[in-house]
Amino acid sequence: MNQTYSTPYTGYNETYGTSPANPLQYNNDTLANTYLTGFVQDAITPIKALTITPGIAGVDFQTQFFNNGASYTPPGAVNQTIAPSDSKVFTRAEPSLGARFLIAPHWSVYGNAAETYQNPGDNAFGAYSGSNVIDLATLKPVKSVDYELGTRLLIRRAGLLRHFVMNADIYRDTLSNETLTTYISTGGGFATTQFAQASATYKGLNVSAQDSPTWHWHVFGTASLTRAHFDSYVPGGSTTNYAGYPISYSPDVTASLGVNYRVAFGRYLVSPGVSDQYTGTQYMFSNLVNAPTNNVQMASYNIVNTQVAIKAGTGIAGLSAVTLTVGVTNLFNKRYDPIQYITSGGYFGGNSAGAVLADPGAPRQYFVNLNARF
């Protein structure tokens, strides 16, 4: 995969006397990436009930960073990027191992382990950096070590259960060598970019199940319990380590529950359905200190959505079926904030530093979708 990413930016605020022709800030840099990957994998079955899947992948991340703003910045403007043009290549091996054991024909347990890598973002190479101290010699790709252990169950017929499917797993993901970026408005029309070096651990439990007790009814549900914290978080220019702090905007609990019904009217198949999505509490991020918080949380919320699908055969050669779906999201027009953060006071000035700013969630919305199958 090859990509070129350019970020020209002319920052101005007419309230403070600047304009596109006479900007306050300027940035122009380009990131050129070439990503190569290949993998081999096998499935080994030493006994009929056991399948072991080893694998190995190789990745190669090639990045060239060009500071186009270094050669030209409009007179009077501040060049947001002064890091020099440079390049970096990462080559890594990504081993993985999976296993599945059939306890019974419709019941299995499984486990997976894998080590993977991700190329650092443009900020790690110097984009939007007001410092030329970008040490590519010490830069590393983001490393992820993942473990998962789970079970899967299928019950074709037992009491009210008809084709009941359940999956449950526990997991632990560890991330290291992260370069995190925060964009902060500091007042006077300026926006600054701040960085932090971090490592983190996610662990939790996922459960999902679905069943069709009759031809008419289908029910489903999911639930996730997550505990996520920083093993290390050091803001740029600081020696304070926020190790142990919860990862901002990682809900402790998420869940969904839904039911669909279908009924035939002649050549029409009508399928109404309703679902509820719950998002638990989340810790906020503070722009005041460019760090997560461990004592300020967003409120939990749940949103109800509904829809009706009408499917019909057409009798037209080449067009097998047409489905019309109409629905409503946020059926009860719930007022909620999907994101909140503690401001540094740049947007509103005055004594607003430390206030909580929020983006409102989408109100009730209606949609119509037409799908044709050829």
Side-chain angles (χ1 to χ4, degrees):
M1 181 174 68
N2 183 268
Q3 67 178 16
T4 300
Y5 175 60
S6 297
T7 58
Y9 167 73
T10 301
Y12 67 94
N13 189 326
E14 294 180 347
T15 301
Y16 294 96
T18 54
S19 65
N22 181 31
L24 185 67
Q25 295 172 299
Y26 183 78
N27 177 82
N28 194 332
D29 56 66
T30 299
L31 219 67
N33 298 110
T34 299
Y35 299 145
L36 305 172
T37 184
F39 72 94
V40 291
Q41 183 175 284
D42 196 12
I44 303 170
T45 309
I47 59 175
K48 186 176 181 180
L50 176 64
T51 301
I52 302 173
T53 308
I56 183 74
V59 293
D60 184 80
F61 305 133
Q62 304 173 22
T63 302
Q64 292 179 292
F65 173 75
F66 301 98
N67 185 346
N68 306 318
S71 58
Y72 170 74
T73 297
V78 176
N79 183 16
Q80 277 199 308
T81 300
I82 64 174
S85 300
D86 213 329
S87 63
K88 185 76 174 182
V89 177
F90 297 110
T91 302
R92 295 291 190 273
E94 299 181 331
S96 62
L97 179 65
R100 185 191 65 175
F101 182 75
L102 286 173
I103 299 176
H106 304 301
W107 182 21
S108 66
V109 293
Y110 62 89
N112 301 292
E115 181 178 295
T116 57
Y117 293 86
Q118 180 180 341
N119 196 49
D122 58 348
N123 300 112
F125 292 92
Y128 293 99
S129 175
S131 169
N132 59 4
V133 186
I134 302 295
D135 188 3
L136 294 186
T138 61
L139 184 64
K140 299 178 181 179
V142 181
K143 179 181 179 180
S144 174
V145 179
D146 307 321
Y147 300 97
E148 180 187 21
L149 182 64
T151 184
R152 186 174 292 114
L153 176 66
L154 167 64
I155 300 177
R156 293 191 181 278
R157 185 177 293 271
L160 292 177
L161 301 181
R162 299 290 190 276
H163 203 81
F164 172 80
V165 179
M166 187 274 292
N167 183 83
D169 67 82
I170 56 175
Y171 67 91
R172 180 185 177 91
D173 299 338
T174 302
L175 299 173
S176 55
N177 306 323
E178 295 181 279
T179 300
L180 305 181
T181 307
T182 306
Y183 301 98
I184 298 177
S185 175
T186 57
F190 266 99
T192 63
T193 305
Q194 299 187 14
F195 304 92
Q197 302 299 315
S199 59
T201 297
Y202 291 79
K203 53 187 176 182
L205 167 69
N206 298 312
V207 179
S208 63
Q210 59 178 319
D211 187 37
S212 298
T214 70
W215 180 86
H216 295 284
W217 293 98
H218 178 76
V219 295
F220 60 91
T222 65
S224 297
L225 176 65
T226 302
R227 293 293 179 265
H229 67 272
F230 285 107
D231 299 313
S232 175
Y233 185 102
V234 181
S238 172
T239 58
T240 302
N241 193 334
Y242 292 84
Y245 274 50
I247 296 176
S248 304
Y249 312 117
S250 178
D252 55 353
V253 177
T254 57
S256 65
L257 182 64
V259 58
N260 294 323
Y261 182 79
R262 62 178 177 176
V263 60
F265 293 100
R267 55 193 286 263
Y268 298 100
L269 181 64
V270 181
S271 304
V274 63
S275 64
D276 184 281
Q277 296 177 322
Y278 172 81
T279 301
T281 57
Q282 309 170 61
Y283 284 93
M284 296 185 203
F285 189 88
S286 173
N287 281 0
L288 272 175
V289 292
N290 186 30
T293 66
N294 65 353
N295 58 357
V296 187
Q297 287 183 304
M298 296 169 47
S300 60
Y301 58 90
N302 67 286
I303 304 299
V304 177
N305 305 312
T306 186
Q307 67 177 40
V308 177
I310 303 174
K311 181 178 180 180
T314 65
I316 301 175
L319 181 61
S320 60
V322 173
T323 302
L324 174 68
T325 303
V326 295
V328 184
T329 59
N330 195 359
L331 177 65
F332 299 112
N333 205 27
K334 173 75 173 182
R335 299 184 65 177
Y336 67 100
D337 298 324
I339 185 70
Q340 298 178 0
Y341 72 97
I342 299 174
T343 177
S344 58
Y347 280 119
F348 297 108
N351 60 353
S352 63
V356 173
L357 300 187
D359 289 333
R364 182 188 297 120
Q365 298 181 91
Y366 306 88
F367 69 89
V368 178
N369 180 68
L370 181 65
N371 179 275
R373 178 172 292 181
F374 298 92

